[in-house]
């Protein structure tokens, strides 16, 4: 029992580091016991020592990204502002380029974003909005860095709502929606599908009353109050908000000079040119027919397109070709199977780079192989030269043949141009018309 009593007293002494007698005496006198007072002073000194560290860690250790239940927003804003100030002070005190300084900068960014979110509470925005023929769709991307086309500021997708027009890809903040005064460029494309074909038709800044051609902001060549920037496509001057020094290939320079160097254009011209890029609206033989005399690649492309049009009747009447969907290889250039004189700006760019010649030659070879080798029905639609009646089966797209413009009969080129008589097939068809009895309608007319 003596051993157990000693062990119990030892445990009691460890649990209570203060002397029980002094504690009882101090309690009776209404004073703090000496040991307890010393201990409390120690705790107060430690609290004062670590007070600044706790303040410095405010915002670094506490969780400010989850709203406390039952707390006021004003308190959160005050705490966040205090944490931001402490983070800024701590960044200046820490060593340059240290890991802790980098972590503190990241924390500061998050705290500022959270403070902005509290000051500007997010409201539920509609997913689709229609304005000035724009069809704005709410974006869900939070990580892609974008720039607002209205205010020219960065769109922070993490905390800001932003929209993109599905027609012209105009991007803007939700708060900038009501300030937009530019109609959708796609409506202009659908109503006016043609290019400005004059090279930089400048009218002068004085004719614009020294104002931006789009938003009417005062501009000058000296940059006061805003820099005047010329668009190489329209020839007009714009402010820095409407002209971001974007570059694009100008169609007028391509058609008249065969020049593909990108030029500075305004934002609206850049969108218009991007939407018109693949539209076949350029009729080169009327706009600039001399271009074919200087650009050999255009002559080659024109011959390939003419051959494709001659192959088209074979495929439209061939079951195997329809099942194989051979003409679908030109689905990206539908105008190639409709005519041979309309070009898009994208076609001309690929002509200059050589990509169009390679791809179209490959398609031409595939089409010719089907007609001449793979399909018996298409082979049976070949021609025999009726002038010399010698040689192999001829097809209208062969390079050594000529086609009669009246009856579409095919002959050897040398035979066709050396023969001074008329086409044998045309003569035969005229004789049949003379031998046939007249129609009843022709008698009474």
């Amino acid at each position: 029992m003596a051993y157990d009593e000693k062990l119990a007293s030892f445990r009691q002494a460890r649990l209570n580091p203060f002397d029980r007698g002094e504690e009882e005496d101090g309690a009776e006198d209404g004073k703090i016991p000496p040991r307890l007072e010393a201990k409390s002073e120690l705790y107060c000194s430690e609290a004062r020592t670590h007070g600044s560290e706790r303040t410095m860690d405010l915002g670094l250790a506490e969780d400010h990204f989850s709203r406390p239940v039952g707390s006021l927003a004003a308190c959160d804003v005050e705490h966040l502002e205090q944490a931001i100030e402490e983070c800024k002070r701590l960044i200046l005190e820490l060593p340059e380029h240290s890991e802790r300084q980098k972590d503190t900068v990241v924390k500061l960014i998050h705290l500022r974003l959270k403070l902005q979110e509290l000051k500007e509470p997010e409201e539920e925005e509609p997913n689709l909005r229609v304005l000035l023929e724009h069809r704005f769709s709410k974006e869900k991307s939070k990580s892609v860095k974008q720039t607002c086309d209205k205010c020219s500021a960065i769109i922070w997708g993490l905390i800001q709502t932003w929209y993109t027009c599905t027609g012209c890809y105009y991007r803007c903040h939700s708060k900038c929606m009501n300030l937009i005064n530019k109609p959708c460029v796609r409506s202009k494309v659908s109503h006016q599908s043609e290019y400005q074909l004059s090279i930089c038709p400048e009218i002068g800044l004085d004719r614009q009353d020294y104002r931006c051609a789009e938003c009417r902001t005062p501009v000058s060549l000296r940059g006061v109050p805003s820099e005047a920037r010329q668009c190489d496509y329209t020839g007009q001057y714009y402010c820095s908000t409407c002209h971001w020094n974007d570059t694009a290939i100008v169609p007028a320079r391509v058609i008249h000079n065969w020049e593909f160097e990108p030029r500075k254009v305004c934002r609206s011209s850049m969108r218009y040119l991007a939407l018109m890029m693949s539209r076949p609206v350029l009729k080169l033989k009327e706009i600039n027919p001399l271009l074919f005399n200087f650009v050999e690649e255009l002559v080659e492309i024109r011959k390939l397109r003419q051959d494709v049009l001659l192959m088209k009747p074979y495929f439209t009447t061939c079951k195997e070709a329809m099942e194989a969907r051979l003409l679908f290889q030109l689905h990206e250039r539908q105008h190639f199977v409709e005519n041979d004189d309309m070009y898009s700006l994208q076609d001309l760019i690929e002509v200059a780079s050589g990509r169009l010649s390679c791809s179209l030659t490959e398609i031409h070879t595939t089409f010719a192989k089907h007609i001449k080798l793979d399909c018996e029905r298409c082979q049976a639609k070949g021609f025999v030269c009726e002038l010399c009646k010698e040689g192999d089966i001829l097809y209208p797209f062969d390079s050594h043949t000529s086609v009669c413009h009246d009856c579409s009969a095919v002959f050897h080129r040398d035979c066709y141009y050396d023969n001074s008589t008329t086409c044998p097939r045309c003569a035969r068809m005229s004789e049949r018309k003379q031998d046939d009895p007249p129609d009843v309608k022709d008698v009474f007319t």
Side-chain angles (χ1 to χ4, degrees), residues 324-342:
R325 304 181 69 184
L326 292 179
L327 289 176
F328 189 73
Q329 297 183 28
L330 292 171
H331 71 281
E332 294 182 355
R333 293 182 172 88
Q334 187 66 29
H335 53 286
F336 278 19
V337 297
E338 296 175 354
N339 55 72
D340 63 342
D341 55 354
M342 301 299 292

Side-chain angles (χ1 to χ4, degrees), residues 48-63:
R48 286 191 298 269
T49 304
H50 298 287
S52 60
E53 295 181 1
R54 185 177 62 83
T55 305
M56 291 172 60
D57 290 338
L58 183 59
L60 304 179
E62 297 184 13
D63 181 16

Side-chain angles (χ1 to χ4, degrees), residues 137-153:
S137 177
K138 185 178 179 181
E139 293 291 344
K140 299 180 180 179
S141 176
K142 301 296 184 182
S143 58
V144 180
K145 183 180 179 181
Q146 301 290 352
T147 304
C148 179
D149 286 313
K150 178 58 185 176
C151 65
S152 304

